[in-house]
Structure formats: structure tokens, C-alpha cells
Amino acid sequence: MTRYQHLANILAQRIEQGLYRSGEKLPSVRNLSQEHGVSISTVQQAYQQLEMLQLIVPQPRSGYFVAPRKAQPPVPSMSRPVQRPVEVTQWDQVLALLYGRGEKGLITLGSGSPDVSQASLKPLWREMNRVIQHNVIDVLNYDELYGRRELREQISRLMLDSGTRVGPDDIVITNGCHGALSAALLSVCKPGDIVAVESPSFHGTMQMLRGFGIKAIEIPTDASTGISVEALELALEQWPIKGVILVPDCNNPLGFIMPEARKKALLSLARRHDIVIFEDDIYGELATDYPRPRTIQSFDIDGRVLLCSSFTKTIAPGLRVGWIVPGRYLDRVLHMKYVVTGTTVPSTQMAVAAFIRDGHYHRHVRRMRQIYRRNMETMTCWVRQYFPCGICVTRPQGGFMLWVELPENVDMIAASQQLREMKIQVAPGSLFSAAGKYRNCLRLNCALVLGEPVRAAVKQIGEVLNGMLDQAPPLSTGSGVGGADE
Ligand SMILES: Cc1ncc(COP(=O)(O)O)c(C=O)c1O
């Protein structure tokens, strides 16, 4: 963390704790620079950061004052999806979102990419060069089917923080979390089966269900505590459901961490109905608070949880290094990995193993947690400032996504097409529903470097949405995560 960010954090904490009260004058730039032994420009940068977060306001020729406290927008309430198995739709929209990747000048607020520009990743670049220079034979050869042992050893140590206690032989390296989830689904399900999903839920996994001919049943999900175990139980009594896919920690797109008691309740429900849990832990390490939450897998006693993850969000998506702890499905998962991808690429696995072994991974992730937390706060301020009134916004407990629910007469699909012409990409909420609900919602990626271009883009989104609302017939009712049942 840079000095100014460190100072901004100290000041933000003092404001949050009420040590500096609303309207109170803050210490002068000179005094702060002496108190903390930092330069004048460091203090100025810290104050600019706090101003961007709308925690303080400058008064010409008087200095900085604590901003009046604004009420936080409410959190979306429990979602109310269509509660019957459906074939997943929305592929065209997902394709449109993927289509923008790499386009110059596009502000990719709709993407799921982490920030890969931080200096804490430099040791990884060095390691990648070293691996290629010194291990030519290994790099050019087939990998073993399980994946590199040195990496599996590092992953088994990393997972101790989440309560998951497995050895290297219980882990299979995959091509990203996508590879882990697809091997898991193929190992358990066949075409025509039904799998339960959170609603809203990550579009990539739902497109896998569609591709494999599996139907999805969307389960009501709370923006703060996760999937409704009670609603899942009702669905299990009604339909022959094979399993449930969850992102219980730092959920994408809602950002919640499922409380431990609910994780345990869900696991015992799974045991009673003999279904499997596909646990996607891709964001779990990015929980704002430390220690990170425990995985559902850590409570599993009979191998029914297939734990999937990758270094995509914590390090970089281009590595394509993921893994699965398949529990009792180990043999089938190995077979499915072989069938779908064969072996995985050795070079990035070797570089990641060294990056973790030498302590760089922990340093990097610690830094990113802080950056993403601040970014989500900044984005929430901008959304509150520029978006129409009557919105609900999530309060993520980690990760880097913000989910915004707009008045029901906003059509984010139409808005996203308009915004695309302005070189702004957003992810409409309907991508995150098997049946295409949540048209009035959007997901914003807060891992972008939040400078002036992004602020201007958020302002433009607000203008488009306000314009849309001016023309739309008025609607009165609020709605839960994204509108009434269909
Ligand atoms: C919840 C979730 N699961 C899985 C994936 C896919 O991850 P990977 O890029 O490692 O295949 C993503 C990527 O956005 C995700 O958000």
C-alpha cells in the first residue's frame, strides 16, 4: 500500500469511529505531514482520496471538513425468481459481453477481471521468465493429469486458512475455475438433470448448465446472507434436484458471505436429500475481513462437496490455473478432466507455485483486499451521486463486484446497448438469471483503476438511466432483488 493510501485509511477510520465528527475541520496539510512524518504531497493525495470517497469536503482557503453523513442506499431484499426448472437462456447477451474483451478505450465495468496492474505482481512476471528459461523440457512437455505436484502442495497449505484440510493427492489442477466446475458438473450430472442455483448467479456457470443440457432452478437469495435454505428445501421436496451450485463467500454478483450457521444448515439439508454441493470459492480469499470465512467443504464429512476455485480473481485470469477438491468424485473428475481438456499447461502452474512459496501471494492478496474494499466504497459513492433515486445497492463483504437494483421500469439491456456506443460496457442483471429476470439491475466491476475516466463513465451511465426514467411511464412498487415473480 502506498503512503498516501495508508494515511487515507487512518483518517477514514477516524471519521468512521466518530473521532472527527460531521462538519468538523480536519488538521491542516502541514500539521498532518509533521504528525505522520510524510511529505505535503502525500497528505494532499490522501485528502484527495477521501474527497473522492465523499468523506470530506474542501472549503476554499479554509481547509478540509468532514462531509455530512449521507444515508447509505438500502440493500436489495430477498430475490423472487421463477421457481421451476428452466433451460438457461441469455447466451446472446453473455456473448455480447465477452465480445468487448481487448477493445481499446472500452471502459469494462461489466467484466469480471481483477486489477492486474499492481506492482505486487512483478515477482510473478520474473518467475514466469525464470520458469521458461530454466525448465524448457518441463515447460514443453505434457503435464501429469493431476497437475504439478509443487502447486498442489502450495494449494493444500493455502486452503488451511479456509478450514479445508486436504493433501496434494486430493486436489486436481484444472484450466481455471471454469475447468473445475465443468469437470464437477460432468462427473455428477447427465443431460436432463436439474441443478439448483442462487438467484442471481454467475452467468458462466449457468451457461455450462445450458451447454450440458442440465436445467436450472433458481432459488431465492438474500443479498446479505445468501441462498434461502428454506426455499431450497421446498424445491427439493418438489423436484428431483441433483445438486446445488453456490458461491458462498464473496458471492458473484451479490458480494455476501454466507453465515457459518447457514452453511452448516445447507450441508445437512444436502445430506438429508442426498444431493451434492458444487462450491465455487473463487472469491473466498478476497474477503474484506481476516481470517477469511470457512468453506462449506470444511464441514463436509462424506465427500459430497466438490470445491472449485482458481487464481483468476486473486492473481490473474490469463494464468488459467484453477483446481478442484472433488471429494468422493475424484476418479470421475480425473476422467472428465482428461476427456474435456486432457492435461493443463505446466509453465503457469510452476510460476504460481513459486509465487506462493516465496510469500508474494499473501502480500499481493492482502494489498488487493484493501484496494477492492476502498474501490467498492468509492463506486458506491459515485452510484449514489449519479444514479437515479430509488436504487438499492449491495454492501459486499469481499470480492470486487457491486450489484445495483434500479426502479423496475429501467431496462438495462436497452441501456447497455446505448452505453456500448459510448464505449462503456456494463453487465445487465438479466445475464445472472436463467430465465432472464433482473432486467432492472446491473453489476459493476470495482477492480478497475478508479480514476477520472471511470468516474465520468459512471456519471454517463447515470445520465442514460435518468433519461430512460424521464421517458418511462411511472411505476410505484419496490421489488426485492430485481422485480416481481413472472
Ligand atoms: C463465480 C465465478 N466462478 C467461476 C468463474 C470462472 O473462473 P475462471 O476464469 O478461473 O475459469 C468466474 C469468473 O468470472 C466467476 O466469477
Side-chain angles (χ1 to χ4, degrees):
M1 194 186 309
T2 57
R3 281 177 182 209
Y4 85 84
Q5 280 168 333
H6 181 65
L7 181 59
N9 277 350
I10 293 174
L11 296 171
Q13 259 171 18
R14 289 183 185 171
I15 293 170
E16 275 156 25
Q17 289 162 357
L19 295 174
Y20 297 130
R21 286 201 232 114
S22 190
E24 193 177 323
K25 187 173 186 310
L26 288 155
S28 70
V29 171
R30 191 171 301 281
N31 282 352
L32 263 190
S33 115
Q34 279 164 3
E35 184 191 332
H36 291 270
V38 293
S39 69
I40 296 278
S41 79
T42 299
V43 179
Q44 282 167 335
Q45 276 178 300
Y47 272 158
Q48 273 161 17
Q49 168 100 356
L50 294 174
E51 194 187 337
M52 206 159 75
L53 285 170
Q54 301 183 0
L55 285 174
I56 65 171
V57 279
Q59 294 290 346
R61 288 191 292 278
S62 304
Y64 285 92
F65 291 78
V66 179
R69 269 195 183 271
K70 281 194 199 146
Q72 288 262 47
V75 174
S77 44
M78 179 80 84
S79 66
R80 284 181 285 143
V82 181
Q83 285 185 74
R84 63 185 141 73
V86 296
E87 209 167 278
V88 175
T89 54
Q90 318 305 313
W91 168 237
D92 291 349
Q93 283 179 49
V94 174
L95 192 60
L97 190 74
L98 300 177
Y99 186 64
R101 271 185 194 159
E103 185 180 318
K104 242 186 149 193
L106 184 70
I107 308 232
T108 52
L109 281 160
S111 83
S113 299
D115 179 354
V116 290
S117 67
Q118 295 293 324
S120 47
L121 283 183
K122 275 189 188 158
L124 181 71
W125 312 345
R126 278 198 296 273
E127 205 49 57
M128 284 169 94
N129 282 329
R130 203 193 58 78
V131 160
I132 288 167
Q133 275 174 14
H134 298 287
N135 301 277
V136 184
I137 300 298
D138 278 349
V139 163
L140 294 182
N141 240 326
Y142 276 124
D143 187 23
E144 60 172 304
L145 186 55
Y146 268 91
R148 302 286 304 185
R149 186 166 188 92
E150 71 256 40
L151 177 63
R152 288 183 283 121
E153 279 169 359
Q154 293 300 335
I155 292 172
S156 86
R157 276 179 216 141
L158 277 188
M159 283 194 300
L160 290 175
D161 275 353
S162 67
T164 286
R165 290 172 186 277
V166 291
D169 296 339
D170 305 312
I171 300 168
V172 179
I173 301 298
T174 55
N175 187 30
C177 194
H178 234 88
L181 287 162
S182 60
L185 284 167
L186 287 169
S187 299
V188 177
C189 304
K190 57 181 187 324
D193 281 349
I194 303 168
V195 165
V197 295
E198 294 152 328
S199 185
S201 67
F202 170 55
H203 51 75
T205 317
M206 283 196 295
Q207 291 306 322
M208 269 178 227
L209 296 181
R210 176 189 164 117
F212 299 152
I214 302 166
K215 287 197 171 138
I217 178 161
E218 296 184 62
I219 306 294
T221 302
D222 183 80
S224 306
T225 57
I227 196 165
S228 161
V229 180
E230 299 75 15
L232 178 61
E233 184 159 20
L234 285 179
L236 286 169
E237 280 160 13
Q238 244 184 311
W239 308 98
I241 294 170
K242 269 285 174 66
V244 54
I245 305 177
L246 302 162
V247 188
D249 293 327
C250 315
N251 175 270
N252 175 15
L254 295 178
F256 59 77
I257 291 179
M258 222 177 147
E260 217 166 273
R262 296 191 75 78
K263 287 179 179 167
K264 288 181 184 164
L266 188 108
L267 189 55
S268 65
L269 179 67
R271 233 177 271 137
R272 280 202 305 283
H273 286 264
D274 196 22
I275 61 163
V276 303
I277 296 177
F278 302 100
E279 180 175 15
D280 181 345
D281 188 46
I282 192 168
Y283 286 95
E285 293 268 297
L286 294 176
T288 305
D289 289 336
Y290 191 83
R292 58 147 295 165
R294 283 185 64 165
T295 54
I296 300 177
Q297 193 280 341
S298 70
F299 303 109
D300 184 20
I301 48 169
D302 57 5
R304 69 177 60 248
V305 179
L306 292 98
L307 177 66
C308 302
S309 194
S310 75
F311 293 109
T312 291
K313 310 296 175 181
T314 46
I315 310 182
L319 298 166
R320 305 313 302 141
V321 178
W323 69 93
I324 178 166
V325 177
R328 62 164 90 141
Y329 294 93
L330 178 62
D331 292 345
R332 285 205 46 81
V333 162
L334 265 181
H335 186 206
M336 286 307 128
K337 173 181 170 182
Y338 177 70
V339 169
V340 176
T341 39
T343 56
T344 23
V345 175
S347 57
T348 48
Q349 292 181 57
M350 292 156 86
V352 170
F355 187 67
I356 303 170
R357 185 198 60 214
D358 297 343
H360 302 299
Y361 171 84
H362 276 113
R363 260 193 296 282
H364 175 67
V365 170
R366 224 179 301 132
R367 175 191 177 94
M368 298 320 293
R369 276 193 211 115
Q370 301 253 14
I371 292 176
Y372 293 148
R373 180 175 72 88
R374 279 257 165 267
N375 282 4
M376 289 190 287
E377 284 168 4
T378 306
M379 187 66 86
T380 306
C381 287
W382 290 347
V383 162
R384 194 171 55 196
Q385 186 175 358
Y386 300 124
F387 278 28
C389 30
I391 58 169
C392 295
V393 183
T394 48
R395 301 214 183 106
Q397 293 169 276
F400 46 76
M401 297 299 183
L402 212 59
W403 176 264
V404 184
E405 184 185 312
L406 294 140
E408 260 186 65
N409 44 357
V410 168
D411 178 0
M412 268 321 300
I413 299 178
S416 69
Q417 283 156 1
Q418 221 175 309
L419 287 161
R420 194 65 180 68
E421 278 161 29
M422 299 156 85
K423 289 231 166 229
I424 300 169
Q425 179 219 48
V426 293
S430 47
L431 258 68
F432 303 87
S433 161
K437 271 178 65 77
Y438 314 127
R439 276 178 90 106
N440 61 324
C441 300
L442 84 157
R443 189 195 70 176
L444 293 167
N445 181 350
C446 304
L448 305 188
V449 177
L450 295 193
E452 183 47 31
V454 178
R455 192 197 59 79
V458 177
K459 187 162 182 250
Q460 278 175 298
I461 300 173
E463 283 162 8
V464 166
L465 297 177
N466 277 310
M468 210 169 224
L469 276 170
D470 285 347
Q471 284 163 21
L475 258 180
S476 51
T477 46
S479 59
V481 186
D485 206 348
E486 287 163 354

